Amino acid sequence: MNHFLDVADYSPSEIQDILDLAVRLKEEHFAGGNAPLFKGKVLGMVFQKPSLRTRVSFDMAMRHMGGDALYLSPNEIGFGKRESIADISRVLSGYVQAVMARVFEHEHILELKKWSSVPIINGLSNFSHPCQAMADAQTIIEKFGSMKGINVTYVGDGNNVAVSLMHIVVMLGGNFTIANPEGYDIPQAAQTTGAELAEKSGAKINFLRDPHKSVENAQVIYTDTWTSMGQEDSAAEREKVFPPYQVNSDLVAEADKDVIVMHCLPAHRNHELTDEVADGPHSVIFPQAHNRLHAQKAILARLFELA
Ligand code: CP
Ligand code: NVA
């Protein structure tokens, strides 16, 4: 059984193949539409947290390719409360052809996978956000032609988005730098996986505290919210610690002159990213969001073994 839980579960060439397919499906989409390869297939979408991009891009990916999607809100299935995850997984497996789930605990995705007889997709957990990373890589490759040797700097919290970005960047031969305050590091297990992937590809990883040093020679600057979903209790503390890590025009001016600025969105404007940068000439935040659609199609097609 194929699943899509983390980019590091795949080899670099498998990830590159999915990215190549995403490019092909994007071309097809704009050249009159995709073939209805997903006819007769339904994707179950289990959400424990809110979503705009993940929900709509997966739903539209299914519809564009002749399939359908079913949204299951937190209130509906009482994930792990009304019913055990093991039971939910076995029941859903008999109704739909794949399940995409957005959860709090990463272990819950692993539990879904353990009991499922259909592919499980990680639509964001507290640990990682691999579907986002696929669209991110697609966006970077569209701009630079390849990930090889590209300097990608992430400024901010060492969160789920940072983990998946680090893994996909170094896996494909890009160099990854992160600048974050003490206490907000990328989890050790993800750092270890990153180091292993980097060793294989020859990429470099730098863990820094200084945002200014981190953007020297950066061709990509990436940031994300200082307070992820589920961390609301520590938001006030985070608002005190993170302001030096704001991506603003002064910071962008210290990077490569052709730098692109990325954010997975939703953005908290004038917190981690200023309006001026978000809406300025270096920003690719909307093409990046739109690439979610094409990346999801490619992930689904691979899991359904249809392309
Ligand atoms: N980037 C992203 O996953 O957005 P949503 O939370 O809106 O799905
Ligand atoms: N790090 C953010 C990403 C949202 C898409 C969160 O988990 O809330």
Side-chain angles (χ1 to χ4, degrees):
M1 175 57 55
N2 269 330
H3 302 279
F4 193 77
L5 302 195
D6 270 311
V7 288
D9 296 339
Y10 284 80
S11 70
S13 67
E14 285 167 333
I15 291 292
Q16 187 61 58
D17 279 353
I18 301 174
L19 291 169
D20 292 345
L21 178 58
V23 170
R24 187 149 64 73
L25 292 170
K26 182 174 181 175
E27 283 165 7
E28 245 177 56
H29 170 75
F30 287 112
N34 299 116
L37 296 180
F38 301 164
K39 192 166 187 302
K41 304 225 178 276
V42 176
L43 175 70
M45 304 194 296
V46 175
F47 279 95
Q48 295 300 297
K49 303 174 181 176
S51 171
L52 171 63
R53 282 143 289 271
T54 305
R55 177 179 175 180
V56 180
S57 60
F58 266 109
D59 193 333
M60 295 315 293
M62 288 301 295
R63 293 194 211 187
H64 287 174
M65 298 188 66
D68 212 339
L70 184 68
Y71 171 73
L72 295 157
S73 76
N75 300 336
E76 271 158 332
I77 59 171
F79 202 73
K81 291 198 180 82
R82 181 170 184 263
E83 200 164 357
S84 76
I85 295 169
D87 287 357
I88 291 171
S89 187
R90 283 176 286 187
V91 170
L92 272 178
S93 292
Y95 295 150
V96 297
Q97 284 65 51
V99 174
M100 187 275 295
R102 167 165 288 192
V103 298
F104 286 96
E105 303 304 322
H106 192 71
E107 288 66 36
H108 291 175
I109 275 281
L110 301 176
E111 180 75 355
L112 273 177
K113 173 194 156 183
K114 183 174 167 194
W115 296 99
S116 180
S117 55
V118 300
I120 300 290
I121 300 168
N122 175 5
L124 181 149
S125 71
N126 285 0
F127 178 68
S128 57
H129 196 1
C131 298
Q132 179 67 50
M134 296 301 285
D136 297 342
Q138 190 180 350
T139 309
I140 294 170
I141 293 166
E142 269 174 1
K143 166 74 186 175
F144 297 104
S146 150
M147 187 69 86
K148 271 232 156 349
I150 299 299
N151 298 322
V152 178
T153 293
Y154 180 100
V155 181
D157 186 21
N159 63 16
N160 44 9
V161 169
V163 164
S164 295
L165 182 71
M166 171 173 76
H167 289 168
I168 204 158
V169 166
V170 301
M171 175 186 264
L172 299 175
N175 301 312
F176 181 82
T177 299
I178 179 168
N180 62 274
E182 213 176 323
Y184 298 92
D185 291 345
I186 285 181
Q188 193 53 54
Q191 290 193 25
T192 303
T193 304
E196 288 163 7
L197 294 169
E199 198 184 333
K200 282 188 201 134
S201 72
K204 291 194 183 65
I205 302 182
N206 303 301
F207 297 104
L208 304 179
R209 297 276 176 244
D210 182 356
H212 300 282
K213 184 146 185 43
S214 78
V215 299
E216 280 171 15
N217 302 317
Q219 290 154 295
V220 177
I221 298 177
Y222 199 119
T223 191
D224 183 20
T225 184
W226 297 334
T227 304
S228 285
M229 293 180 276
Q231 298 176 333
E232 291 75 12
D233 287 352
S234 59
E237 181 57 30
R238 289 165 176 271
E239 287 292 327
K240 283 190 215 142
V241 172
F242 276 101
Y245 294 83
Q246 182 185 66
V247 174
N248 53 37
S249 298
D250 290 345
L251 193 70
V252 172
E254 294 172 39
D256 188 271
K257 70 175 178 23
D258 294 323
V259 68
I260 58 170
V261 175
M262 303 180 70
H263 191 307
C264 59
L265 304 180
H268 303 80
R269 282 165 172 261
N270 302 315
H271 291 251
E272 75 271 9
L273 182 66
T274 60
D275 280 337
E276 198 182 359
V277 173
D279 301 324
H282 297 284
S283 173
V284 297
I285 60 175
F286 297 115
Q288 177 189 357
H290 294 155
N291 276 338
R292 293 290 303 273
L293 174 67
H294 314 294
Q296 324 297 30
K297 285 178 184 171
I299 292 165
L300 289 162
R302 275 299 139 86
L303 292 177
F304 291 142
E305 299 179 350
L306 288 169

